[in-house]
Amino acid sequence: MKFELQGTAAGSAARAGKITTSRGDIHTPIFMPVGTAATVKGIFHRDLKEAGAEIILANTYHLYLRPGTAVLEQAGGVHGFSSWDKPVLTDSGGFQVFSLAGCRKLTEEGCRFSSHIDGSKHLFTPESVIDTQRSIGADIMMAFDECPPGDAPYDYAEKSLRLTHRWLERCFERYGQTGPLYGRYQSLFPIVQGCVYPDLRARSAEFVQRFEADGYAIGGLAVGEPAPVMYKMIELVNGILPSDKPRYLMGVGTPVNILEAIDRGVDMFDCVMPTRNGRNGMLFTPEGIINIRNEKWKEDFSPIDPAGNCFADLQYSRAYLRHLTVSGEMLGAQIASLHNISFYLWLVKEARRRILGGDFAEWKAVMTEKLARRL
């Protein structure tokens, strides 16, 4: 994997770049639609590609439990299994273990947990998580870490960070002992943790660089801490991480969060918000947020996005989408999800264009005000 820095924004840490992988180029800043179980809910691959998706995310925890590594290996990995031919990034499953699994027990060895599907018992270790991601065949793999809550006390956050760093050493040792199963190079990104404590974040950002990875992730944010604190942590970490490697902010967030993070030097994003909120009737547009269930849209026959920025073929009316949504029709959730994914992809593509064009700061100031509006 190779990262090329192609431009920076005046008066900002925002940057545009290109990640080269064996399955295609990724132009940054980039948003990665979340395909947790090897599918972005309700959206065909053809529509993802037409919307501009260059990489999607899948999840180790979910794919490990179902369909399982044996099935994935028979299919030639997640690409063969799902017929997606562009890059895939896999979350290590750490966050899901800590947020979804019941009866979990954390030790130096790893994490024992009960499946949220059937209650069966499992163990994730740094070694097993690397092995599982080898079986999945992700182009970018994530190290196994503990993600403490945003309000974790300092003592807990420090203890967690020490464990995450020891696990990281074991992840890279296993990574060096194994190779890809399907003839495609796989990168391994470390994850910077440290909760909301500047000294811990700085310590972690320094530590992860020992591994000279292809890229670096920032985890453990947008988990309950105030947005200004999150932005402060991003600035701190990106001031330490190398500038010649991509930076991935995990699980963030709202459109405003994404623009603020781009402004602070982040290159890669993922979040379930576009599809999850879309299924519940929340639409993101360049002019603000629409709750499509509201009565005010009942007789509004204008397109969802009149400017046509988001997926030009999605020119259904707001009235029609409201009808589908309040009626519980499956098509309503599909249209809203695809619209939101298209909007997120448009937003980062436009940010990239503005960075390269030299007017990112001015554009961002206008957009952040618009994006926070309720229409």
Side-chain angles (χ1 to χ4, degrees), residues 147-158:
C147 180
D151 60 354
Y154 185 89
D155 289 350
Y156 180 92
E158 184 178 33

Side-chain angles (χ1 to χ4, degrees), residues 43-65:
I43 302 180
F44 287 106
H45 290 344
R46 66 164 189 253
D47 293 335
L48 285 172
K49 291 177 180 178
E50 186 173 344
E54 296 179 338
I55 177 174
I56 62 173
L57 181 143
N59 183 259
T60 297
Y61 169 86
H62 289 279
L63 293 177
Y64 161 81
L65 291 176

Side-chain angles (χ1 to χ4, degrees), residues 121-372:
K121 306 296 183 183
H122 302 271
L123 170 67
F124 269 5
T125 68
E127 294 80 10
S128 72
V129 164
I130 295 300
D131 292 346
T132 299
Q133 290 181 91
R134 291 291 198 193
S135 295
I136 293 170
D139 302 276
I140 302 174
M141 309 187 296
M142 304 307 299
F144 190 51
D145 65 333
E146 183 188 4
C147 180
D151 60 354
Y154 185 89
D155 289 350
Y156 180 92
E158 184 178 33
K159 180 181 178 182
S160 171
L161 184 63
R162 290 198 303 267
L163 179 63
T164 287
H165 287 174
R166 292 193 297 272
W167 282 357
L168 181 58
E169 291 175 330
R170 290 166 56 189
C171 282
F172 269 91
E173 183 176 0
R174 187 67 163 194
Y175 176 69
Q177 295 169 344
T178 59
L181 301 182
Y182 314 112
R184 300 274 190 160
Y185 177 77
Q186 294 177 279
S187 295
L188 175 60
F189 284 18
I191 302 173
V192 175
Q193 288 288 356
C195 202
V196 296
Y197 303 106
D199 62 320
L200 298 184
R201 284 284 174 182
R203 185 193 309 177
S204 189
E206 294 285 0
F207 182 85
V208 298
Q209 293 181 66
R210 300 181 187 181
F211 301 93
E212 299 184 350
D214 293 324
Y216 299 90
I218 306 171
L221 293 176
V223 289
E225 79 285 353
V229 175
M230 174 174 69
Y231 300 148
K232 181 181 178 181
M233 294 301 104
I234 294 169
E235 286 181 12
L236 172 67
V237 170
N238 282 346
I240 298 171
L241 291 177
S243 61
D244 61 345
K245 301 290 179 68
R247 304 157 178 166
Y248 163 34
L249 180 60
M250 304 180 73
V252 178
T254 68
V256 171
N257 290 158
I258 287 176
L259 285 189
E260 293 291 355
I262 290 173
D263 192 29
R264 290 161 172 82
V266 173
D267 306 298
M268 304 169 68
F269 301 88
D270 80 281
C271 189
V272 298
M273 188 172 284
T275 48
R276 178 177 291 171
N277 288 32
R279 293 194 301 274
N280 291 301
M282 178 182 284
L283 304 179
F284 299 101
T285 79
E287 299 301 319
I289 300 168
I290 292 174
N291 180 351
I292 202 64
R293 293 179 177 273
N294 286 351
E295 186 78 12
K296 67 185 293 184
W297 311 116
K298 186 175 182 179
E299 297 178 2
D300 186 336
F301 301 104
S302 62
I304 302 167
D305 174 24
N309 293 310
C310 311
F311 206 88
D313 289 344
L314 268 185
Q315 292 302 296
Y316 299 100
S317 73
R318 298 176 183 186
Y320 180 59
L321 182 54
R322 180 185 182 277
H323 161 69
L324 295 175
T325 302
V326 299
S327 300
E329 288 288 342
M330 185 185 304
L331 181 59
Q334 289 181 278
I335 292 171
S337 296
L338 181 53
H339 166 83
N340 282 349
I341 287 288
S342 300
F343 168 74
Y344 269 64
L345 291 166
W346 170 83
L347 184 68
V348 294
K349 183 178 180 179
E350 185 67 9
R352 173 185 168 84
R353 189 175 76 83
R354 298 287 181 164
I355 292 167
L356 294 174
D359 63 344
F360 172 79
E362 296 83 357
W363 173 78
K364 180 237 174 189
V366 173
M367 286 302 299
T368 50
E369 180 182 351
K370 286 184 177 181
L371 295 175

